[in-house]
Amino acid sequence: MSYKFTEEQLMIQSMVRDLARSEFAPKAMERDKTKEFPVDNLQKLGELGLMGMMVPPEYGGSGADTVSYVLALAEIAYACASTAVVMSVHNSIVCESIMRNGSEDQKQKYLKRMATGEIIGAFALTEPNAGSDPVRQTTKAVFDGNSYILNGTKRFTTTGKNAGLTIVTAKTDEEARHKGISAFLVEQGTPGLTVGPLEDKMGLRASDTADLIFEDCRIPAENRLGNEGDGFLIAMTGLDGGRIGIAAQSVGVAQAAFDAAVQYTREREQFGQSISKFQGLRWIVADMATEIEAARLMMLSAAEMKDHGENFTLQASMAKLFASEMVNRITAKAIQLHGGYGFTKEYPVERFYRDARVFTIYEGTSEIQRVVISNQIFKDKRNP
């Protein structure tokens, strides 16, 4: 591709590619079977400064830009999508939200440990009856003395079991709708917090997903993130960055499926020649490569806008929408190009297909992305 990267960005991409393909990829299929949380992968990422990529050095992070981050994340997703989703939520949503909204004490207490991977971050917004509409959430936080008492249930929390720190949203004012939602930093093992059974998922099976149940869970007032009523804005702003991360995951998995399909079609022979010689299949491959490149450039454009301090909400949603839909098409075509073998676990494309399916759902469904995109278009008065 013709995108111009700095030497540092290329060095980070190369380093992560070597690590992910040599150490993460060989274990990915086994982790898919056993659902073993990739703690060893995350420790390696922490040692290399990749668990606090965009955290400033004064808080123990690498201080890298968003372009470097998405290049690294795509390489990790190429090798092990389960590891990538944990890293994405940790970096894109949790570290970024604390960096943007946290007090100095909160940054000192948590960011330094998160940047090394000592503790992993999670984000709890979704509830049994509140998914795309977070205002419907019923988890409550009642101020009591010098603390808040949380009651409610959060659903589908990525890294819910293994997270050392979770950003939890809860209503502090029932009447104020989205302005009545606040955010809290809840540590693992806090009395009153129970982790529910792990979900038995279609894909990303080594990444744990669980309910978090709060029963009179007392949180110190100093663990409120931002001011009361800031929770909705904190969540939405965090998701903007997270959506660039989903685009990066999508690009990584799509590239892995594409490379596997190209290799297979070169090696597979039918009717006396490699099936890569057949025009029908060559055109499928050409379309796959074009879609991946388009998604990659959209991802990089959104990342660069974020680095420049521009409003990137529209570009993040576009990148997430296109890339997540793209990876579902690419992995399906990769299976088709493998024929019957693609339907078996002997080849990795079957896992890529399952891992990719959730990308159009989490951190805002494709339908929600279209709402965000159209809202951004029609609120711009310059648009005819």
Side-chain angles (χ1 to χ4, degrees), residues 27-303:
K27 304 175 188 174
M29 185 64 81
E30 186 61 26
R31 287 190 195 281
D32 179 72
K33 295 176 183 176
T34 64
K35 298 191 284 187
E36 179 191 0
F37 188 72
V39 62
D40 51 340
N41 291 354
L42 298 168
Q43 285 174 347
K44 290 186 176 76
L45 295 175
E47 290 166 5
L48 292 171
L50 298 168
M51 295 304 284
M53 282 196 73
M54 296 173 289
V55 174
E58 58 263 36
Y59 299 112
S62 300
D65 58 16
T66 312
V67 170
S68 297
Y69 167 63
V70 295
L71 290 175
L73 185 57
E75 292 297 339
I76 294 165
Y78 183 105
C80 178
S82 291
T83 300
V85 67
V86 176
M87 175 186 170
S88 181
V89 172
H90 174 89
N91 272 286
S92 299
I93 301 183
V94 186
C95 287
E96 286 266 289
S97 294
I98 296 174
M99 217 26 256
R100 190 181 301 109
N101 304 283
S103 67
E104 185 60 28
D105 286 345
Q106 288 170 345
K107 293 175 185 178
Q108 292 288 347
K109 184 176 182 180
Y110 296 118
L111 276 183
K112 290 185 176 181
R113 296 168 66 199
M114 296 181 74
T116 63
E118 178 189 342
I119 57 173
I120 307 299
F123 175 65
L125 174 68
T126 299
E127 296 187 4
N129 294 307
S132 295
D133 182 8
V135 177
R136 282 180 56 88
Q137 66 184 280
T138 58
T139 297
K140 293 183 178 65
V142 177
F143 189 66
D144 180 56
N146 61 351
S147 59
Y148 289 84
I149 300 174
L150 267 64
N151 280 284
T153 298
K154 294 295 182 178
R155 176 139 295 171
F156 301 139
T157 306
T158 299
T159 325
K161 178 182 178 182
N162 289 282
L165 184 73
T166 304
I167 296 178
V168 180
T169 61
K171 283 189 174 178
T172 47
D173 185 344
E174 281 284 344
E175 305 302 318
R177 292 183 54 77
H178 67 279
K179 292 183 179 179
I181 297 171
S182 302
F184 301 89
L185 300 172
V186 182
E187 296 184 22
Q188 186 181 55
T190 300
L193 167 59
T194 304
V195 178
L198 300 188
E199 299 290 346
D200 189 10
K201 299 179 298 183
M202 174 182 182
L204 302 179
R205 291 172 59 80
S207 157
D208 66 280
T209 302
D211 284 2
L212 298 180
I213 301 122
F214 300 91
E215 297 175 302
D216 294 331
C217 182
R218 189 174 289 272
I219 309 300
E222 60 264 27
N223 274 34
R224 188 187 66 219
L225 186 61
N227 298 317
E228 271 201 14
D230 285 352
F232 183 83
L233 182 60
I234 289 171
M236 294 304 105
T237 306
L239 286 171
D240 276 349
R243 285 163 182 165
I244 303 176
I246 303 300
Q249 293 172 55
S250 299
V251 167
V253 173
Q255 189 67 54
F258 175 81
D259 289 352
V262 168
Q263 179 181 346
Y264 181 83
T265 56
R266 280 177 171 157
E267 296 171 354
R268 176 73 168 171
E269 291 190 1
Q270 292 288 277
F271 305 103
Q273 61 180 326
S274 165
I275 63 173
S276 66
K277 300 292 185 183
F278 299 132
Q279 186 181 66
L281 299 192
R282 293 172 77 92
W283 284 11
I284 291 172
V285 169
D287 286 343
M288 292 167 74
T290 302
E291 287 202 60
I292 295 170
E293 185 70 0
R296 195 191 319 276
L297 290 171
M298 292 179 76
M299 169 196 80
L300 291 168
S301 175

Side-chain angles (χ1 to χ4, degrees), residues 320-330 360 366 370:
K320 198 271 188 187
L321 171 63
F322 184 82
S324 64
E325 297 281 349
M326 173 277 298
V327 70
N328 277 276
R329 292 190 293 269
I330 298 303
T360 62
S366 291
R370 292 183 174 99

